[in-house]
Amino acid sequence: MPYRLYRDDRMWVPPLKSDVRGMFDRARNPFFAHAEIESFLALAGDRVVGRIVAIDNRAHNEFHGDRVGFFGFFECEDDPAAATALFDAAAAWLAARGKDVLRGPMNFSTNDDCGSLIEGFNTPPAIMMPHNPAYHARLHAAGGFAKAKDIVAYWYEGDALPERVTRGVELVRKRKGVTVRPLDMKRFEQEVGLIRTIYNDAWERNWGFVPMTEAEIDHMAEQLKPVVEPGLIVFAEIRGEPVGFGLGLPDFNLALKHANGELFPFGFLSILWHKRRIRQARILTLGVRSGYRASGIDALLISELFGRCVAMGIFKGEFSWILEDNIAMRRPLENIGARVYKTYRVYDRPLVGAGA
């Protein structure tokens, strides 16, 4: 169905079908160790007009002490009745499981891609970021949803950072004795474990955050390993102690869009051909341990990743995603001159008393 819905949308990047199948493989995806899902289709005669997945993520509710149910993988024709029927089906399934809020879209959680694009439709999505038609906002409104939280993506182009930023970063480096090193592929498993430790510490107070299990981080690392550029994964250390990390990837969507969702028979060759022409990146996460926040280490990591991108011939890219109220992360990006160019919305709909 997405291929039909997006056939005239030049911005859409078809995901690899094998990756989507892998996400739903209960035997392989460790998300299902703490979650259950139910999938629904909306039909008009024999034609599929919409789809949705209801998600009961026990890890989220145990961590936050709430009763939130989620929906994801939502696609629908511009048909409010069909969309509302899908939302109602997901709501009923989750209400029967004791949930009092329906939240989404999440595919499957905040550790995956999430949010519905509401601004920035004139550019394609970066790797591991969602894309959808503008009419989705109307479908969510008709389905009884209201804004829960917006998340933003920043864009930056240039071959140098502002001088004041460079000076500030050097002061942080010298005064705090911070050193930065790239990921060591020879110790890949240990490095992944270190990322998990810092990530879970750095993000634990963020809205919607769910700690990643060891199995989940290992699974994600396995998926990303073929596209990892070791120079774009860096650790900040003080006296040998890791205190933060930054993770960037070349924007492989520039190559994936030519594969049309299939690796074989020719998609793999097409990806290899276009991979050589990638000249933009996505910085998809930065994490600084709780005891070192507001110390300038985040700006130092941004500067380090920028310098490494430039050395690779990459002069533009996206920083995403960032919560709208995460001023501590937004300020360093705005200080270098980055601008918000895409906004995504996560929606809530109450279930108790809503007739679900």
Side-chain angles (χ1 to χ4, degrees):
M1 186 187 69
Y3 287 83
R4 173 165 51 84
L5 290 179
Y6 292 97
R7 64 187 173 193
D8 297 322
D9 187 342
R10 293 183 297 112
M11 298 301 120
W12 185 58
V13 178
L16 289 176
K17 295 177 183 178
S18 57
D19 286 350
V20 178
R21 284 193 293 268
M23 290 188 72
F24 286 86
D25 187 336
R26 288 166 170 79
R28 292 182 55 203
N29 188 346
F31 176 77
F32 291 104
H34 56 76
E36 278 133 38
I37 66 170
E38 187 65 75
S39 303
F40 300 92
L41 296 177
L43 302 174
D46 293 332
R47 189 176 85 256
V48 176
V49 298
R51 71 181 195 189
I52 199 168
V53 176
I55 305 158
D56 182 0
N57 184 355
R58 296 188 303 276
H60 170 94
N61 291 295
E62 290 168 4
F63 186 76
H64 291 277
D66 55 19
R67 294 186 293 158
V68 176
F70 298 89
F71 73 91
F73 300 91
F74 172 71
E75 296 287 1
C76 192
E77 294 181 2
D78 191 1
D79 182 342
T84 299
L86 287 166
F87 294 138
D88 288 349
W93 186 80
L94 288 162
R97 301 173 74 86
K99 304 301 181 285
D100 57 18
V101 173
L102 176 60
R103 177 174 297 165
M106 303 275 182
N107 300 338
F108 290 106
S109 75
T110 55
N111 293 322
D112 305 291
D113 67 67
C114 58
S116 180
L117 185 66
I118 61 169
E119 294 177 352
F121 297 94
N122 60 335
T123 52
I127 185 171
M128 298 170 66
M129 289 294 283
H131 180 76
N132 55 266
Y135 67 74
H136 272 207
R138 286 189 283 104
L139 298 183
H140 284 102
F145 288 91
K147 171 187 169 180
K149 186 76 69 173
D150 281 354
I151 55 181
V152 295
Y154 279 82
W155 184 260
Y156 186 80
E157 292 189 36
D159 58 4
L161 295 177
E163 186 178 346
R164 70 182 187 281
V165 173
T166 303
R167 288 198 307 266
V169 164
E170 286 308 308
L171 282 174
V172 170
R173 196 187 301 267
K174 292 176 181 177
R175 289 178 179 177
K176 298 188 179 299
V178 183
T179 58
V180 180
R181 66 168 179 85
L183 176 137
D184 183 352
M185 289 296 288
K186 294 179 180 178
R187 302 176 61 254
F188 186 75
E189 292 183 3
Q190 295 94 318
E191 300 281 66
V192 168
L194 183 56
I195 288 173
R196 173 179 174 265
T197 298
I198 300 174
Y199 175 81
N200 285 343
D201 177 36
W203 283 58
E204 65 176 348
R205 296 183 182 178
N206 280 14
W207 180 88
F209 170 73
V210 180
M212 295 190 78
T213 65
E214 184 175 349
E216 285 178 306
I217 195 76
D218 287 346
H219 180 70
M220 179 177 288
E222 180 185 348
Q223 291 179 305
L224 292 179
K225 193 172 184 179
V227 297
V228 158
E229 174 56 54
L232 295 185
I233 303 177
V234 295
F235 295 92
E237 299 180 339
I238 297 178
R239 294 182 293 277
E241 177 191 358
V243 297
F245 79 98
L247 195 162
L249 290 173
D251 189 358
F252 267 82
N253 269 10
L254 297 174
L256 288 175
K257 69 180 181 180
H258 299 283
N260 203 34
E262 300 282 4
L263 279 177
F264 303 102
F266 304 114
F268 182 70
L269 294 175
S270 181
I271 291 171
L272 287 179
W273 173 258
H274 290 282
K275 170 185 174 182
R276 302 177 301 170
R277 303 181 179 184
I278 295 174
R279 290 295 179 266
Q280 67 189 49
R282 178 188 169 204
I283 309 304
L284 62 156
T285 187
L286 263 75
V288 178
R289 279 182 159 159
S290 53
Y292 297 89
R293 292 172 188 156
S295 62
I297 292 175
D298 49 2
L300 189 154
L301 288 167
I302 291 170
S303 175
E304 183 75 23
L305 287 168
F306 174 81
R308 289 171 176 270
C309 283
V310 169
M312 294 170 58
I314 295 174
F315 301 98
K316 58 185 178 180
E318 176 175 307
F319 295 84
S320 63
W321 52 263
I322 302 164
L323 293 169
E324 61 178 333
D325 51 3
N326 187 352
I327 305 304
M329 189 67 257
R330 297 186 65 172
R331 187 179 293 116
L333 294 175
E334 290 169 4
N335 284 343
I336 70 171
R339 60 180 177 85
V340 173
Y341 86 121
K342 288 182 184 289
T343 303
Y344 303 82
R345 180 157 292 172
V346 178
Y347 295 91
D348 272 2
R349 167 178 154 177
L351 297 184
V352 175

